Amino acid sequence: MRRRRLPHAALAALLVLGGLSAAGAVPAAAAGSTTGSADTAAPPASAGLVTAMQRDLGLTREQAEARIADERAATALAPKVRRTAGEAYAGSWFDSAKGRLTVALTPDAPADTRRAVRAAGAEVRTAAHTARQLDAVKARVDRLSAPPGVSGWHVDPVAGTVVVDIVRADRSDNDVRRFVSRAREAGPVTVRTVSAAPRTFAAGTVGGDPYYTGNVRCSIGFSVYGGFVTAGHCGGPGAGVSGWDGSYIGTFQGSSFPDNDYAWVSVGSGWWTVPVVLGWGTVPDQLVRGSAVAPVGSSVCRSGSTSHWHCGTVLATNETVNYSQGAVHQLTKTSVCAEPGDSGGSFITGDQAQGVTSGGWGNCSSGGETWFQPVNEILGRYGLTLHTYTG
């Protein structure tokens, strides 16, 4: 935030004045890393975050606190049991009912592998296809040209298939039926109907909101050293960016959309970055301590300039989403709502950055689904370092 102004309710999600964050003082020189890891000894979640999870996930306070602790443990466990499973690995997800990570293994998994996965603390399920086989099926579907009535597709580890989503009103469309037929030729595919087609969540200029490029309003994602990351559909390389107060922030240094939906913006002219996600008064501003990937089934919350702070669940990873502008790959699907102007905003689980808002369907009155571009992919693509709080 520029020194000449104090934060206010329409502040951009991360460029808040250092030391004035409701989450506590944030040193400007706090160290960070390109990727983070969950810390099972991390401080408990803020009361505001617990309240938001109670509201959006229908939990009691005790259930929300227990779920946060269980998800932190599952996030740390997931990469370890994947290595243990080896070629027999068929996917994993967080089971909120049991509060544990579930790992799918193929029928030929050795008995000692199954014992080792259970000993590590995970549930074990049997699945017909390995994760590698399902990823290969999805890759073959990715090579098809999808008509507008096809919403997207992803690997579902719980079902053990690739799920293709089609818009309910278009399920009898000849092009949609032809796509589904060709997709099924690629391997195990399940078809699901959805209410509406996905769209991006950029918006026209509205006074007092976080950042603008041209006549488009979007939301800031996460601070990186030298700038911030956001959605690619919000602006192309070289586009100038202004802040909530109309002052110049910086320039889009890199941007990709469609195929991907990510970008990064350099920061200057009196603005600087801090490792904070704005809570919009619903919760205290949230510190960012890393970017460990939350498993499918985990809770996740989103901060955006239009609908502010909302929570939901991770529904799928590595999904291809078929926007009207073209397909975007490797997105994560969530049950969190969003609205125009929320594009680019932060998705976070606990204190771990997850990604930036891409698009979805529905709104925060009637509900819907929203996708985000994983933050670690953006960091790797542009060689950026996530600004994290290490205190």
Side-chain angles (χ1 to χ4, degrees), residues 5 42 68 85 95 133 135 154 193 225 227 249 256-258 266-267 280 286 318 320 326 339 367 373 378 384:
R5 295 290 297 273
I68 291 169
D95 186 332
Q133 289 170 333
D135 286 342
H154 66 275
T193 57
Y225 286 97
I249 294 179
S256 177
F257 179 80
S266 60
V267 168
W280 293 101
Q286 301 296 301
N318 190 23
T320 299
E339 297 181 356
Q373 181 86 61
I378 311 173
L384 301 170

Side-chain angles (χ1 to χ4, degrees), residues 207-231:
D209 288 298
Y211 89 82
Y212 311 90
T213 176
N215 66 344
V216 172
R217 170 170 60 86
C218 284
S219 301
I220 291 167
F222 293 96
S223 285
V224 296
Y225 286 97
F228 64 84
V229 294
T230 187

Side-chain angles (χ1 to χ4, degrees), residues 1-5 14-19 26-29 223-224 226-228 249 267-275 387:
M1 182 52 55
R2 293 176 64 85
R3 294 180 183 275
R4 63 185 177 83
R5 295 290 297 273
L14 287 179
L15 300 186
V16 296
L17 188 62
V26 183
S223 285
V224 296
F228 64 84
I249 294 179
V267 168
S269 302
W271 293 72
W272 69 90
T273 64
V274 290
H387 194 167

Side-chain angles (χ1 to χ4, degrees), residues 27-33 225 275 288 385-390:
S33 60
Y225 286 97
V288 178
T385 299
L386 185 67
H387 194 167
T388 58
Y389 177 68
T390 58

Side-chain angles (χ1 to χ4, degrees), residues 9 13 33 69-70 77 103 110 123 209 214 220 235 259 261 336 338 377 384:
S33 60
D70 291 340
L77 179 61
V103 178
E123 297 279 330
D209 288 298
I220 291 167
D259 187 27
D261 194 5
V336 186
E377 182 183 357
L384 301 170

Side-chain angles (χ1 to χ4, degrees), residues 323-348:
Y323 294 125
S324 61
Q325 301 94 327
V328 176
H329 303 91
Q330 297 179 320
L331 298 184
T332 297
K333 178 191 285 187
T334 77
S335 63
V336 186
C337 67
E339 297 181 356
D342 288 329
S343 278
S346 322
F347 268 89
I348 187 168

Side-chain angles (χ1 to χ4, degrees), residues 92-238:
S92 63
W93 59 94
F94 177 75
D95 186 332
S96 60
K98 296 182 178 180
R100 301 176 70 183
L101 187 74
T102 297
V103 178
L105 299 175
T106 53
D108 59 352
D112 58 348
T113 298
R114 293 178 179 273
R115 285 194 295 269
V117 171
R118 288 193 180 97
E123 297 279 330
V124 173
R125 285 258 303 266
T126 300
H129 308 285
T130 67
R132 181 176 296 179
Q133 289 170 333
L134 293 178
D135 286 342
V137 172
K138 180 183 177 293
R140 289 193 284 273
V141 178
D142 281 341
R143 292 193 285 270
L144 303 178
S145 178
V150 177
S151 172
W153 51 95
H154 66 275
V155 171
D156 183 345
V158 181
T161 66
V162 172
V163 175
V164 174
D165 290 334
I166 61 174
V167 179
R168 184 172 292 108
D170 297 324
R171 61 183 182 272
S172 297
D173 179 84
N174 286 335
D175 290 338
V176 170
R177 296 174 70 175
R178 188 176 301 112
F179 178 90
V180 169
S181 177
R182 295 187 64 191
R184 283 178 166 148
E185 293 174 359
V189 165
T190 301
V191 177
R192 187 186 74 158
T193 57
V194 295
S195 300
R199 60 193 173 102
T200 56
F201 285 125
T205 299
V206 176
D209 288 298
Y211 89 82
Y212 311 90
T213 176
N215 66 344
V216 172
R217 170 170 60 86
C218 284
S219 301
I220 291 167
F222 293 96
S223 285
V224 296
Y225 286 97
F228 64 84
V229 294
T230 187
H233 69 263
C234 292

